Amino acid sequence: MKYAFTAKGESWDSEIDPRLGRTEFILIYDDKKNELSAYSNSEITQQAHGAGPLTVQKIIDLNPDILITGNGPGKNAAEVMSTSEIKIITGAGDMKIKEALEAYKSDKITG
Amino acid sequence: MKIAIASGKGGTGKTTLATSLSSHLSETQDVVLVDLDVEEPNSRLFIRGDQTHSQSICKQVPEWTGDCSLCGQCQEICNFNAVIKVGTQIMLFPELCHSCRACSELCPESALPLKPRKIGMLNQIQAGNLIFVESRLEIGEQQAVPLISQTKDYIDNHFDESYIIIYDSPPGTSCPVIEASKDADFVILVTEPTPFGLYDLKLAVEVMRKMKKDFGVVVNRDGLGNNDVLDYCDMETIPVLARISNDRRIAELYAAGELIFSTIPEFKEQLLLLERSLELSTVVDPV
Ligand code: SF4
Ligand code: SF4
């Protein structure tokens, strides 16, 4: 299973970035390889408009099964999201990445 | 003659002045009042008359035909993130599109033809001798500028120089107000004599100077705060065209949708003063 997180930093101890479109980093955790990798999203946070769709496009390209985030996508971002099979889990806003993954696995946060 | 009435922020009495000035002038001249505050047009509340015309206003946005090589050039050329490639499809976000046509013209497969999309409604109302035009932005539409610019085109196509045209501009100092005042012969900045009023006035003055506009100030609710606005205008040699006193009756008449100048002589005096300084009065008024 491949997980994507919107994050304020690059490690398991970083916090979830609650803003999907303007997240600072996208983290990908592949549990088969037990590997966490970070992708900077800084160039997108400088866009005045349309950050949501671009970030989602980037996430789709990374091909995760599940996205764990805070506030969830806006209207345009949701439209882009719906072209993929990725499952969105929201409500991880004030958690660290490792806590968010635990919370998801124990069904404390859902779509 | 085109006059724009603007203010650094909302709620300064801009609409009161715009509706009063145009109603008063229309007693002797041909006047068109245009509400360009397309996100929140409210002049209509003070205009009584019959609607004589109504039309949709559209902008041109690309539509994806699906016949596409997925080369991605459209996304690369768009400065506004209004077109992106997701997987095997192209998605468009019309409310972000600035109708620059770049993607449409660049597309090697001609897969992005331009189609009209409704962005607002324009209404025209005849109120006695006054003609009133307003445009309202569609809900969800984010860009005021294309609607403002097309509303001005409508005005230019329908009313020649014999009309006095008064634009009630959107508040603020960003693109919409610049679009609304850029072809005005004169801009009236409405302000209040308070620290906030002064702050916003300074910003608005900066914008007007950059645009090289002739402008003057009308102080609304005069007597409310301090003299700083007047001192500032004095120092900067900005003409103060009129000072409307802080009179509770004005607010009451405004709230009731009444014409203020027919009831309050002091208000009418200030209007006449304003009209004279703009050289708009045709009759010598026996004040
Ligand atoms: S430029 Fe035209 S052909 Fe290329 S991806 Fe965009 S729509 Fe498709
Ligand atoms: S017309 Fe211009 S602004 Fe609109 S989608 Fe195409 S490139 Fe972007």
Side-chain angles (χ1 to χ4, degrees):
Chain A
M1 193 75 91
K2 229 168 137 183
Y3 300 86
F5 304 87
T6 57
K8 291 180 179 169
E10 301 173 61
S11 75
W12 285 112
D13 286 320
S14 308
E15 275 174 47
I16 292 277
D17 196 326
R19 306 160 308 167
L20 201 169
R22 296 183 182 279
T23 182
E24 288 175 55
F25 292 92
I26 300 161
L27 301 192
I28 296 288
Y29 173 59
D30 190 332
D31 62 0
K32 281 198 212 84
K33 297 185 200 154
N34 193 20
E35 206 176 75
L36 184 74
S37 33
Y39 300 85
S40 167
N41 196 39
S42 59
E43 76 286 356
I44 283 170
T45 58
Q46 284 156 21
Q47 302 283 346
H49 298 289
L54 283 184
T55 302
V56 171
Q57 180 189 34
K58 225 170 156 176
I59 293 171
I60 291 175
D61 284 345
L62 292 166
N63 198 24
D65 303 290
I66 292 166
L67 168 67
I68 300 178
T69 183
N71 301 336
K75 178 180 143 284
N76 288 343
E79 213 178 297
V80 180
M81 205 75 200
S82 68
T83 65
S84 76
E85 303 279 288
I86 303 170
K87 185 168 156 194
I88 309 181
I89 304 295
T90 54
D94 39 16
M95 300 179 188
K96 290 181 176 175
I97 303 301
K98 58 183 178 199
E99 295 166 352
L101 183 61
E102 279 317 307
Y104 168 69
K105 284 184 172 163
S106 54
D107 281 333
K108 287 202 186 87
I109 47 175
T110 54
Chain B
M1 174 87 169
K2 283 182 184 156
I3 300 161
I5 303 186
S7 67
K9 65 174 176 87
T12 55
K14 185 171 58 67
T15 299
T16 317
L17 187 70
T19 49
S20 305
L21 180 65
S22 19
S23 298
H24 185 250
L25 283 170
S26 74
E27 289 178 354
T28 52
Q29 301 176 71
D30 292 328
V31 182
V32 187
L33 169 63
V34 190
D35 194 343
L36 291 180
D37 187 0
V38 298
E39 285 169 83
E40 271 178 75
N42 60 0
S43 294
R44 188 172 186 168
L45 300 172
F46 307 96
I47 306 287
R48 293 200 186 97
D50 299 317
Q51 185 156 314
T52 53
H53 179 74
S54 182
Q55 70 179 66
S56 314
I57 302 274
C58 296
K59 72 174 181 186
Q60 297 287 328
V61 297
E63 223 173 66
W64 187 55
T65 61
D67 253 331
C68 159
S69 60
L70 298 170
C71 68
Q73 291 182 51
C74 46
Q75 169 166 1
E76 250 160 66
I77 193 84
C78 182
N79 280 326
F80 307 100
N81 302 327
V83 51
I84 69 174
K85 191 182 101 178
V86 192
T88 56
Q89 54 173 298
I90 300 298
M91 295 186 90
L92 286 148
F93 304 103
E95 70 278 15
L96 299 175
C97 171
H98 281 58
S99 305
C100 75
R101 302 165 167 268
C103 61
S104 184
E105 278 165 24
L106 185 79
C107 174
E109 309 294 331
S110 307
L112 294 168
L114 294 167
K115 296 268 161 70
R117 168 189 160 93
K118 183 177 170 191
I119 54 168
M121 281 302 289
L122 177 150
N123 302 308
Q124 181 170 331
I125 286 148
Q126 187 78 40
N129 192 39
L130 174 69
I131 295 165
F132 171 65
V133 174
E134 63 156 21
S135 283
R136 292 177 178 267
L137 203 61
E138 285 289 290
I139 293 167
E141 200 55 44
Q142 288 169 11
Q143 297 170 52
V145 171
L147 182 57
I148 293 173
S149 124
Q150 292 197 49
T151 306
K152 291 193 310 176
D153 290 346
Y154 174 87
I155 298 295
D156 289 344
N157 292 334
H158 289 81
F159 305 102
D160 62 18
E161 259 119 62
S162 66
Y163 287 89
I164 298 173
I165 292 163
I166 297 179
Y167 291 140
D168 187 353
S169 303
T173 45
S174 58
C175 304
V177 66
I178 291 170
E179 181 64 33
S181 23
K182 76 180 181 203
D183 56 358
D185 301 298
F186 193 89
V187 181
I188 299 172
L189 297 175
V190 187
T191 187
E192 285 177 358
T194 61
F196 289 125
L198 179 60
Y199 177 81
D200 291 319
L201 177 63
K202 284 181 179 168
L203 294 178
V205 165
E206 228 172 89
V207 173
M208 291 308 143
R209 287 198 167 140
K210 269 200 199 124
M211 294 170 72
K212 302 200 163 48
K213 283 282 150 200
D214 270 340
F215 65 94
V217 165
V218 168
V219 178
N220 191 31
R221 306 180 74 188
D222 193 29
L224 177 74
N226 53 34
N227 272 333
D228 290 355
V229 165
L230 294 172
D231 291 346
Y232 165 76
C233 291
D234 198 33
M235 222 166 60
E236 298 279 328
T237 62
I238 299 166
V240 175
L241 310 166
R243 295 165 62 176
I244 298 165
S245 60
N246 185 25
D247 186 332
R248 240 192 62 214
R249 290 174 302 166
I250 294 180
E252 285 167 5
L253 290 167
Y254 176 78
E258 298 288 334
L259 280 179
I260 299 157
F261 61 81
S262 36
T263 317
I264 305 179
E266 298 91 321
F267 184 83
K268 185 167 177 177
E269 240 167 70
Q270 292 299 318
L271 270 189
L272 290 168
L273 205 64
L274 175 62
E275 289 167 18
R276 271 197 294 272
S277 52
L278 295 173
E279 291 165 11
L280 290 176
S281 34
T282 48
V283 280
V284 181
D285 202 89
V287 176

